[in-house]
Amino acid sequence: MQVSVESCFKVLPRGGVASPRGFRTAGVVAGLKSSELPDLALILSSVEASVAGVFTKSIVKAAPVLLCENFLQDTKGRATCILVNSGQANAATGEEGLRDAFDMSDIVASYLPETSPNQVLIASTGVIGKRIDVSLIDKALPDLIGKLGNSDEHNMDAARAIMTTDLVPKYISVEWECKGQVVTLGGMAKGSGMIHPNMGTMLSFLTTDISISPSLLRLLLQNAVDKSFNAITVDGDTSTNDTVLIMANGLSNVTVEPNSPEMELFEKALTWCCEHLAKSIARDGEGATCLMQVEVTGTNTDRDAQTIARKIASSTLWKAAVYGRDPNWGRILAAAGSAGVNFDPSQVSVWLGEYHLMKDGLPLSFDKAAVSEYMQKAAEAKYLSGMDQVNVYLKIGDGSGYGKAWGCDLSYEYVRINAEYTT
Amino acid sequence: MQVSVESCFKVLPRGGVASPRGFRTAGVVAGLKSSELPDLALILSSVEASVAGVFTKSIVKAAPVLLCENFLQDTKGRATCILVNSGQANAATGEEGLRDAFDMSDIVASYLPETSPNQVLIASTGVIGKRIDVSLIDKALPDLIGKLGNSDEHNMDAARAIMTTDLVPKYISVEWECKGQVVTLGGMAKGSGMIHPNMGTMLSFLTTDISISPSLLRLLLQNAVDKSFNAITVDGDTSTNDTVLIMANGLSNVTVEPNSPEMELFEKALTWCCEHLAKSIARDGEGATCLMQVEVTGTNTDRDAQTIARKIASSTLWKAAVYGRDPNWGRILAAAGSAGVNFDPSQVSVWLGEYHLMKDGLPLSFDKAAVSEYMQKAAEAKYLSGMDQVNVYLKIGDGSGYGKAWGCDLSYEYVRINAEYTT
């Protein structure tokens, strides 16, 4: 299951959405945030690109989500750019909010001669129930377009401009060889932690220079999102604005056909990038001191394994135990048992890191101090170093099912952040 | 929907499982808890009773749950007593634990000449993965049986003996007139808050002197549990030991037939008692400063309304906002939208107490300080006074569906309790 990244891909840790050929990006201060931090980003392809999106399953969808769904249907999955604002989510804003979103596309198109409004996708994140001041966007656009570029700084600026309460910007790119060409995939994301009221949106944008049909791109994106963004949980809540968009502009001249070796490699790269961004989001969960990775094997299906893994990663009791560095396997077992998946409890084994805590449904004796220290070390490891991760491993039976999920611990800080803010 | 208790029933606030005719109870210190607090209770009917049970849906079931399911099938729903211990949950104890549970039934039966072992039901709560020292139960039983009685003190003693980390014992009874006879229903419960590791079990025991078939009793109990214990959420986790048992010994000489007026009255009493005990458990959630009641109307079905109500009552973001006395309707809306129930967001209205926060999907302006003060007053109200409750009300549409759920706020204390304990 595990992709050995090094053997297939070259990771560019400071790359991002402008790394693939023909993409440029920028992030500026438009004045939408009272903090006067960057709040507007644009991702622009020099040629029309195939586009696919995965959106929130919430019944309460923000205006930009409705716009994207509408445009992607209109254009059959083609676009040239994505405008992203932070500050206001443009959710619970009714008909007026929807008009604002369409106005934003119109404004961007008016600055880009060869782009029609329905080729300008929009994403928003921030406070719910407040309208966006569209005149500020109009005012900021010349500056934003003037600053477009494809350096490491451009990737970082864009990633910063989409942040709300994230502590760190999240961006990455990978490149690999395919049919004698170098192809590149870049991405950025902002977190799902809901600090300030209603700012809890997970946004991610990916770009690549492969050539691919919108329908195949849609399929591969959905698979990658299921294994990554849908496998993280900070507090179990779903936002009105959650959006993942990918653009593929074909400028590498490498075409990805269904079930080809090129597709397999691209899918691995896409899944790896999405997992990397998803883990960055989980690690940056509100008040989190460490990342938690849960792997489940031995179920009948992958779906069953992932369901159990997600249940454990989102158990507030187990999350609090991780914060307390308490190897309390009973909470892992209780979460697994309540996931709605059938299994034989007398076959369950549980590990924390290298430590075997339970075998065939019965507790083993283990060195509690050593396991607790293992957990503490994860919290003391450098942020996003790869070591700041507590590994939970469950073997449920003899099936071939495998699933993975990520979460973070539950700290005082989570409660403070979410309780002390006053709307 | 709301039963006006006063008009139908007389509530006996210090009554309990020994209030109905022919029932006696007691609680003693058997030494199962290191704290030397009471840890063993018995509920005994003077004649064989109809019995029904609702058990944890977790795939990981504790030994006493397996024993109860086994005995209820054996006896077709007949029993004379229930033995309950706190201290150890007898879960994740394998074959040996199952043998311990059966031994406990044998021991009780050996002290009660006319009772066979399969008429002795067992429930346990406490630490997972530790065996019960059955010799301590054998030693304590003469004292326990000698102390059986039906006074207010006996009801309280039994309710105390089943507590683990509950702050207050939870017990109640109601009586009403039926065909010229007084009939009585009593109950007690312990909480679902999981403070110490793996002690998070919801147990409730009910007794009545009506005459009813086990199959009808099972049906009515399941309905009442769905509206009460299944509608509370402290942290969303399900225990290995969750159990609700009801005994009906017929000594009032009032028989409840299907779809009779007597059944209707009994069902109301049963639902009210279960709701009262369930709310007591939610209010006593770990670190909780107030109870939260969520009512949802206007869905197509009651099930839809209850699904949405439960999603809101269990949203950690909204729970943290309640702790912060922050009338953050966006979090209510986000939770409702992610409940998996279809509705039209532009028809949603939200109230907190008397305050109307949102209408037809759009935010209203309201006096935030006043709403915040309303929430604060709930936290300052006397514990379980009925005033220590924040009321959330959602109108989703024009359907006739109605549902209710209860939860508590999420405080620093929850995290402290769950993180700082070391196994």
Side-chain angles (χ1 to χ4, degrees), chain A residues 387-401:
Chain A
M387 299 303 293
D388 54 343
Q389 173 172 318
V390 170
N391 290 298
V392 180
Y393 182 67
L394 254 84
K395 190 172 173 302
I396 289 293
D398 294 322
S400 61

Side-chain angles (χ1 to χ4, degrees), chain A residues 196-197 417-423, chain B residues 324-328 368-369 372:
Chain A
H196 293 304
I417 288 165
N418 282 295
E420 291 191 356
Y421 185 95
T422 301
T423 42
Chain B
R325 322 302 173 213
D326 176 9
N328 187 337
K368 276 175 191 164
S372 187

Side-chain angles (χ1 to χ4, degrees), chain B residues 319-343:
Chain B
K319 284 155 62 90
V322 173
Y323 178 63
R325 322 302 173 213
D326 176 9
N328 187 337
W329 55 266
R331 293 182 183 178
I332 300 174
L333 190 70
S338 62
V341 174
N342 205 26
F343 62 82

Side-chain angles (χ1 to χ4, degrees), chain B residues 105-393:
Chain B
S105 289
D106 286 345
I107 292 168
V108 175
S110 74
Y111 286 98
L112 300 171
E114 294 182 16
T115 296
S116 65
N118 67 5
Q119 289 177 317
V120 182
L121 299 176
I122 306 288
S124 302
T125 178
V127 179
I128 290 184
K130 291 256 163 70
R131 285 181 66 187
I132 295 174
D133 183 348
V134 177
S135 73
L136 291 175
I137 292 183
D138 201 2
K139 220 176 287 173
L141 261 179
D143 180 34
L144 182 62
I145 290 172
K147 284 189 170 147
L148 287 169
N150 60 6
S151 71
D152 288 351
E153 282 65 40
H154 287 92
N155 287 321
M156 191 176 70
D157 287 349
R160 280 196 189 284
I162 68 171
M163 288 164 61
T164 51
T165 53
D166 306 65
L167 297 176
V168 293
K170 299 162 185 76
Y171 53 107
I172 194 81
S173 82
V174 297
E175 54 179 50
W176 66 100
E177 264 193 58
C178 205
K179 291 179 172 172
Q181 304 287 329
V182 171
V183 293
T184 309
L185 173 74
M188 65 179 180
K190 75 159 291 278
S192 64
M194 298 209 184
I195 297 190
H196 293 304
N198 323 314
M199 282 201 173
T201 285
M202 199 284 296
L203 297 180
S204 183
F205 307 98
L206 298 134
T207 55
T208 181
D209 46 22
I210 60 155
S211 174
I212 187 169
S213 72
S215 60
L216 182 57
L217 189 61
R218 175 81 180 68
L219 182 75
L220 299 181
L221 181 66
Q222 183 68 61
N223 286 346
V225 167
D226 280 343
K227 288 182 185 155
S228 56
F229 299 113
N230 283 347
I232 57 169
T233 162
V234 173
D235 49 30
D237 278 15
T238 306
S239 137
T240 50
N241 292 59
D242 291 345
T243 297
V244 182
L245 285 167
I246 184 166
M247 301 173 81
N249 67 9
L251 291 179
S252 69
N253 289 318
V254 172
T255 300
V256 166
E257 301 287 354
N259 302 315
S260 61
E262 294 78 40
M263 187 191 99
E264 200 172 299
L265 213 50
F266 172 63
E267 191 167 20
K268 277 189 182 166
L270 182 60
T271 304
W272 187 87
C273 271
C274 287
E275 279 192 8
H276 175 88
L277 293 169
K279 286 165 75 169
S280 305
I281 288 172
R283 176 62 186 89
D284 202 5
E286 291 167 356
T289 69
C290 63
L291 183 68
M292 179 212 320
Q293 174 168 297
V294 183
E295 286 179 281
V296 174
T297 63
T299 51
N300 291 328
T301 64
D302 287 355
R303 179 177 294 266
D304 283 354
Q306 205 179 27
T307 301
I308 294 171
R310 285 180 201 175
K311 189 79 188 181
I312 295 166
S314 64
S315 159
T316 56
L317 277 171
W318 171 239
K319 284 155 62 90
V322 173
Y323 178 63
R325 322 302 173 213
D326 176 9
N328 187 337
W329 55 266
R331 293 182 183 178
I332 300 174
L333 190 70
S338 62
V341 174
N342 205 26
F343 62 82
D344 177 359
S346 75
Q347 283 201 47
V348 173
S349 285
V350 179
W351 287 258
L352 259 183
E354 301 291 310
Y355 300 92
H356 198 170
L357 307 188
M358 176 171 225
K359 195 186 170 191
D360 297 336
L362 293 173
L364 298 172
S365 63
F366 59 88
D367 181 347
K368 276 175 191 164
V371 187
S372 187
E373 198 191 320
Y374 159 72
M375 298 168 88
Q376 179 60 29
K377 274 190 179 153
E380 287 167 6
K382 196 164 160 283
Y383 197 84
L384 290 176
S385 63
M387 302 301 294
D388 54 342
Q389 174 171 317
V390 170
N391 291 298
V392 181
Y393 181 68

